[in-house]
Amino acid sequence: MFNIPITKPYLGEEEKQVVSQVIESGWVSQGPKVAEFEERFAEYVGARYAVATTSCTTALHAAIAVSGLGPGDEVIVPSLSFIATANSVVYCNAMPVFADIDPETCNIDVEKIEGAITKKTKAIMPVHQMGLPADLDSIQKIANKYNLIVIEDAACAIGSEYKGKKIGGHGNIACFSFHPRKIITTGEGGMITTDDPDIAARLRRFRHHGMSVSDIERHVANKIIIETYPDLGYNYRMTDIQAAMGLEQVKRLPFIIKMRRQIAGIYDEELSKIPYVRVPQVPTYAFHNYQSYWIELLESAPVDRNMLMSKLLEKGIATRRGIMAIHMEPYYKGYSKLSLPTTEKITMNTVLLPLYPTLSSEEQSYITNSLKEILL
Ligand SMILES: *Cc1c(COP(=O)(O)O)cnc(C)c1O
């Protein structure tokens, strides 16, 4: 009998060893490993600076705050996203304005962005859905026309590419997640990338109580340094224990992404044989890391989405509902002024299937055969 989880982080002996080494070194809080992880990550995505945080949620909060967004400002976001996307806007007392998505990619519908712009709009926050890049050039064109900031929620998009260049390397502030559900993990953790030295410096202060000097600078200094606190900050510091894991995880990225793409390719091939199922389409501009794999169950299917999920669970296959729609959650009642029919349809009819580098071909055949058995 199979017992297949929705995902499994890809960790090994190296992660155990480096964590022990950090513990032996005696410096377990933020220090040299975080600095090294930031450098390596920036290099990997092709950004000038990377700033580590405790999660992608805190990364988004920091990014929005240091961009100067606040009360009275509106930020255009897709409603189809994890709730943290909108929450991070609300933390800054700004207003998330929800725009509908393109059913093909589940990414923000570029045609719908202009309709959501008002005099108060200050930023657009595209989400690279399940790792599939949003159409950054088209979004940038609108941002330029209306003088808006672009902040990318790239929680799921480590290693994905837009027009041959990695997400994080397109000149915007981009925020990544190292939660175990994502491509690589540090337990919890986040990263912000930017090309702007001033933004990078403000992000470093923001995550470190607003303090003018980092712990490591003070530690290595051969004279006393009395710190100052120029702005309001938070404690959003990643630890060296996490960063040591992250450095090993970055080395595994090529393998992880190769395996994910291979497994997704088999799903594409097998599941497109089922007439009641729509499989994801990847635009020619994109290289997809397949952080998640979704299918849409069409109305003609003999079972509904929740029934399909329970039948799979009975067979030992864990699934998850597709991405949530933030505007449908109780806290966000009254927020959205626009109609979001595609978001509502997609959130109700999509399912995420198990996908992780160590999913065996026997397990995957069992999943695709079970889907065929239930649906055909
Ligand atoms: C996972 C996720 C987040 C939150 O990431 P954390 O690191 O868990 O805070 C934010 N946005 C999107 C789109 C996500 O998928």
Side-chain angles (χ1 to χ4, degrees):
M1 180 60 190
F2 287 94
N3 189 359
I4 306 172
I6 183 77
T7 192
K8 225 187 251 182
Y10 189 65
L11 294 158
E13 280 308 311
E14 289 82 355
E15 281 82 349
K16 284 190 206 163
Q17 278 171 21
V18 295
V19 167
S20 314
Q21 284 162 11
V22 168
I23 292 168
E24 277 162 28
S25 81
W27 190 312
V28 292
S29 63
Q30 187 157 108
K33 286 291 171 196
V34 170
E36 194 183 336
F37 184 32
E38 289 174 337
E39 232 168 82
R40 193 69 49 79
F41 193 88
E43 198 182 306
Y44 176 79
V45 304
R48 282 181 70 191
Y49 306 97
V51 178
T53 58
T54 51
S55 68
C56 184
T57 305
T58 55
L60 289 165
H61 179 198
I64 295 165
V66 306
S67 298
L69 301 174
D73 295 336
E74 293 180 353
V75 180
I76 298 173
V77 301
S79 169
L80 194 86
S81 185
F82 183 55
I83 197 157
T85 307
N87 285 353
S88 59
V89 177
V90 176
Y91 297 159
C92 297
N93 300 306
M95 179 71 102
V97 173
F98 299 117
D100 212 356
I101 53 159
D102 173 347
E104 287 296 315
T105 60
C106 291
N107 274 313
I108 194 163
D109 185 342
V110 175
E111 309 278 312
K112 298 283 158 58
I113 294 176
E114 272 193 279
I117 292 174
T118 71
K119 281 202 177 81
K120 295 177 177 173
T121 308
K122 290 284 163 58
I124 308 171
M125 235 167 81
V127 179
H128 304 299
Q129 302 282 20
M130 294 164 284
L132 177 62
D135 186 358
L136 285 176
D137 281 355
S138 305
I139 292 167
Q140 194 60 52
K141 210 182 259 176
I142 298 172
N144 292 346
K145 184 169 163 192
Y146 294 91
N147 196 21
L148 307 175
I149 303 165
V150 177
I151 298 171
E152 299 171 47
D153 182 341
C156 303
I158 301 172
S160 288
E161 295 173 15
Y162 177 75
K163 296 191 177 169
K165 201 192 255 188
K166 286 207 175 65
I167 295 301
H170 292 269
N172 306 312
I173 301 179
C175 300
F176 298 87
S177 173
F178 304 122
H179 183 272
R181 276 288 295 274
K182 306 300 160 72
I183 292 285
I184 56 172
T185 188
T186 58
E188 294 277 359
M191 192 73 87
I192 312 160
T193 57
T194 176
D195 285 345
D196 183 330
D198 180 50
I199 291 279
R202 277 148 70 194
L203 287 169
R204 287 184 208 290
R205 286 203 299 276
F206 189 90
R207 69 152 179 214
H208 184 50
H209 304 286
M211 205 188 289
S212 60
V213 54
S214 73
D215 279 344
I216 189 154
E217 279 171 291
R218 199 151 51 170
H219 184 75
V220 300
N222 52 12
K223 57 178 174 23
I224 61 152
I225 301 177
I226 306 294
E227 80 280 12
T228 63
Y229 298 83
D231 354 88
L232 177 67
Y234 292 76
N235 180 355
Y236 285 171
R237 287 176 308 218
M238 179 182 273
T239 66
D240 263 25
I241 301 173
Q242 293 167 308
M245 269 180 75
L247 279 161
E248 292 308 313
Q249 288 274 283
V250 168
K251 292 182 201 163
R252 297 189 193 278
L253 270 168
F255 176 76
I256 290 173
I257 292 171
K258 186 180 120 213
M259 291 310 293
R260 285 184 167 277
R261 288 173 54 81
Q262 201 169 303
I263 294 164
I266 296 168
Y267 274 143
D268 281 346
E269 194 180 322
E270 289 304 313
L271 301 181
S272 51
K273 293 174 187 161
I274 308 176
Y276 310 111
V277 161
R278 185 169 73 92
V279 301
Q281 299 299 313
V282 179
T284 51
Y285 66 64
F287 175 88
H288 193 348
N289 67 3
Y290 287 99
Q291 184 269 336
S292 284
Y293 189 93
W294 58 271
I295 54 171
E296 183 186 356
L297 205 55
L298 303 182
E299 267 165 44
S300 52
V303 294
D304 70 11
R305 194 268 312 264
N306 292 1
M307 180 62 81
L308 176 67
M309 290 175 69
S310 352
K311 282 183 181 286
L312 287 168
L313 194 57
E314 280 167 24
K315 290 173 177 290
I317 302 167
T319 58
R320 293 288 182 273
R321 65 159 172 170
I323 305 174
M324 63 181 293
I326 301 172
H327 77 283
M328 292 168 82
E329 292 303 318
Y331 181 78
Y332 282 96
K333 271 212 174 87
Y335 267 81
S336 191
K337 291 166 269 171
L338 305 164
S339 97
L340 305 165
T342 309
T343 299
E344 287 173 11
K345 179 162 173 274
I346 293 282
T347 194
M348 297 309 288
N349 299 326
T350 48
V351 189
L352 308 185
L353 300 180
L355 177 58
Y356 46 89
T358 52
L359 183 73
S360 71
S361 50
E362 292 75 32
E363 289 169 323
Q364 194 178 12
S365 303
Y366 178 69
I367 296 165
T368 53
N369 288 335
S370 298
L371 277 161
K372 287 174 193 165
E373 212 176 283
I374 297 165
L375 291 170
L376 292 179

